[in-house]
Amino acid sequence: MKKSKQEMRVGSRGWQYSDWVGEFYPDDLPEDWRFSFYSNEFHSVLVPYEALAQCEVDDWVDWAEDTQKNFSFYVEIAGTASWNEVKPYLDALGKQLKGVIVVIEALNDLDSLASLIKHLKTRAVVSIRRLGNVVSEQDMQTLQTCYEVNECWDGDSEAPVWKYGEAAILLRDVDDENTPDKLRQLFEKGMEHAGKSDAIALFFTGSTPKINDMRTAITITDLLV
């Protein structure tokens, strides 16, 4: 296999999954300790946008302090959020913040979205995740060209060309085909399309990401680099 110039990162969208108790988390592990336990094995995480409403800024500070310096945080932000709302949370992660995903469900206010993206880019590379079919290919291309943002890839649709910044992001649902061969193909295709990106980040999503899928993906990245 060819050597990749990109760093490859693997993690999940969130870490508070009750089904992981017993399988991954020890039965007697306090809930507040789960992130520290998670970060000992997996060195990247995608923080769901729900965390802004459910957690205090001090919680985010604790997460950053509980990890090694090489740990990578990626954060989801709703496209309707305001910069003043999200700034304190992003600042809490400091240099460990490696990427922001703006989740777009509708394009109702392009000016506000443009302002949000402009501010977010002062903190980290910004990627777009489209939910549903409300954002057309033309609008997506406009966003990418005008605001220099990447698009997240699900691994099944046509691979985007990641032109900007530090990280190309793949999102795989728990119900997707995540066999070792499929994951290897995804990483190899991602390497071909990653352009100037320095890293490829794969996050498992869905109701309960599978720990074995995450471990398999890490093994594959070790073989590819």
Side-chain angles (χ1 to χ4, degrees):
M1 296 181 181
K2 68 178 182 179
K3 183 178 178 64
S4 170
K5 67 177 181 179
Q6 291 94 9
E7 180 182 351
M8 287 183 272
R9 302 165 181 160
V10 175
S12 60
R13 181 183 183 270
W15 61 88
Q16 290 284 19
Y17 296 101
S18 58
D19 287 347
W20 283 5
V21 177
E23 175 194 1
F24 178 56
Y25 296 130
D27 292 327
D28 58 351
L29 185 74
E31 187 172 324
D32 290 346
W33 294 7
R34 288 180 183 175
F35 180 70
S36 294
F37 190 95
Y38 170 95
S39 65
N40 284 332
E41 179 167 353
F42 303 105
H43 297 155
S44 296
V45 73
L46 174 58
V47 181
Y49 57 78
E50 295 95 334
L52 270 73
Q54 297 172 354
C55 304
E56 301 293 334
V57 174
D58 287 346
D59 295 322
W60 292 56
V61 173
D62 290 341
W63 300 341
E65 291 178 348
D66 282 345
T67 60
Q68 301 295 322
K69 291 183 178 180
N70 64 341
F71 191 91
S72 300
F73 286 95
Y74 293 76
V75 177
E76 283 184 338
I77 299 295
T80 54
S82 70
W83 171 242
N84 288 336
E85 174 189 359
V86 303
K87 180 181 181 296
Y89 297 91
L90 302 183
D91 288 347
L93 301 180
K95 293 183 179 180
Q96 289 175 281
L97 177 65
K98 299 300 182 182
V100 177
I101 297 176
V102 178
V103 181
I104 299 178
E105 298 184 75
L107 284 178
N108 297 325
D109 190 344
L110 275 175
D111 289 339
S112 295
L113 178 61
S115 176
L116 175 63
I117 291 174
K118 179 180 178 180
H119 283 101
L120 291 173
K121 288 178 65 176
T122 65
R123 294 298 186 272
V125 176
V126 176
S127 299
I128 300 294
R129 181 185 183 190
R130 291 184 280 177
L131 295 184
N133 298 312
V134 296
V135 182
S136 68
E137 291 296 331
Q138 182 176 355
D139 286 338
M140 189 65 228
Q141 291 176 9
T142 299
L143 285 173
Q144 289 181 285
T145 302
C146 294
Y147 308 130
E148 295 187 346
V149 294
N150 294 320
E151 182 176 9
C152 299
W153 182 41
D154 62 10
D156 292 323
S157 59
E158 183 178 353
V161 176
W162 293 295
K163 297 180 180 179
Y164 310 106
E166 187 265 357
I169 297 177
L170 289 75
L171 302 174
R172 293 294 289 176
D173 190 86
V174 63
D175 294 326
D176 292 335
E177 178 190 353
N178 293 314
T179 62
D181 187 56
K182 179 65 174 181
L183 294 175
R184 177 185 57 80
Q185 292 176 22
L186 290 176
F187 276 119
E188 290 182 335
K189 193 168 186 180
M191 288 156 55
E192 294 176 3
H193 289 264
K196 297 179 181 179
S197 298
D198 297 323
I200 299 174
L202 167 62
F203 294 107
F204 291 90
T205 68
S207 57
T208 304
K210 296 178 180 178
I211 293 296
N212 284 342
D213 288 346
M214 296 162 64
R215 287 171 172 161
T216 298
I218 289 176
T219 298
I220 291 170
T221 63
D222 291 340
L223 294 173
L224 288 172
V225 299

